[in-house]
Amino acid sequence: MTKKTAITWFLILGAIELALGFAGGAEYIMRKVDALDADRAAAQDKVDAAKDAIAKQYISTDVELNRELYLCQANFLESTVIYERPPQLTLGFSGIRGLPVIPIGGQGDEAPHWLIPAKIKPMVLGDSRGAVYYYMSRDNRMDGPYLPEVARPQ
């Protein structure tokens, strides 16, 4: 073998080894990159799952808030009108039997006394003096009468 042939073979084998080294190194790097991609994808899946859970929580909270807002707005579509019997003053003469008791003022049925621009449920403390309440819609239709409940102190 001549010196020129030996150098040629040496260069050819060096080029083959260099190509094999690059191929092996590229394979190693590609496996590492694939592993990193798989880890990144798994981490992204966890982040996406957390985002979905948070979005569902916000959506359910949003739906609940919208429902409460709708109910609150519905309470302002009607008004509450409270009717009370006017107070009456009665005069009587003590010691004289047979004389009638004379009521002064406050005679008659209940009269509208309070208008509250929201649908509420009134409660009374003590005697209600014959109070009743109605719900009045925007087109002035009345729904009622209802008797107020007696509030119990806690």
Side-chain angles (χ1 to χ4, degrees), residues 136-141:
M136 183 172 64
S137 63
R138 290 198 177 188
D139 58 357
N140 292 332
R141 286 185 296 151

Side-chain angles (χ1 to χ4, degrees), residues 75 78-80 82 116 118-122 133 135:
N75 284 337
E78 295 186 55
S79 298
T80 304
I82 301 176
I116 302 167
K119 185 176 183 179
I120 63 166
K121 186 175 182 181
Y133 64 96
Y135 294 122

Side-chain angles (χ1 to χ4, degrees), residues 88-109:
Q88 58 184 352
L89 176 65
T90 56
L91 291 178
F93 299 99
S94 61
I96 304 175
R97 293 188 168 217
L99 286 178
V101 175
I102 305 168
I104 300 175
Q107 293 299 311
D109 293 331

Side-chain angles (χ1 to χ4, degrees), residues 13-117:
L13 289 176
I16 291 173
E17 288 178 7
L18 183 63
L20 290 175
F22 277 132
E27 176 67 21
Y28 177 78
I29 290 173
M30 291 307 293
R31 286 186 187 197
K32 289 292 185 179
V33 168
D34 289 343
L36 288 173
D37 281 344
D39 290 345
R40 186 200 53 80
Q44 187 63 41
D45 289 344
K46 287 181 183 178
V47 168
D48 290 343
K51 283 181 182 178
D52 289 344
I54 290 171
K56 285 179 184 176
Q57 179 182 1
Y58 280 131
I59 288 171
S60 66
T61 302
D62 191 40
V63 167
E64 181 66 22
L65 288 175
N66 282 337
R67 186 184 68 78
E68 288 181 19
L69 180 63
Y70 173 76
L71 292 175
C72 183
Q73 287 174 339
N75 284 337
F76 288 96
L77 294 176
E78 295 186 55
S79 298
T80 304
V81 181
I82 301 176
Y83 284 72
E84 289 183 325
R85 184 170 291 134
Q88 58 184 352
L89 176 65
T90 56
L91 291 178
F93 299 99
S94 61
I96 304 175
R97 293 188 168 217
L99 286 178
V101 175
I102 305 168
I104 300 175
Q107 293 299 311
D109 293 331
E110 295 89 7
H113 193 173
W114 300 92
L115 174 67
I116 302 167

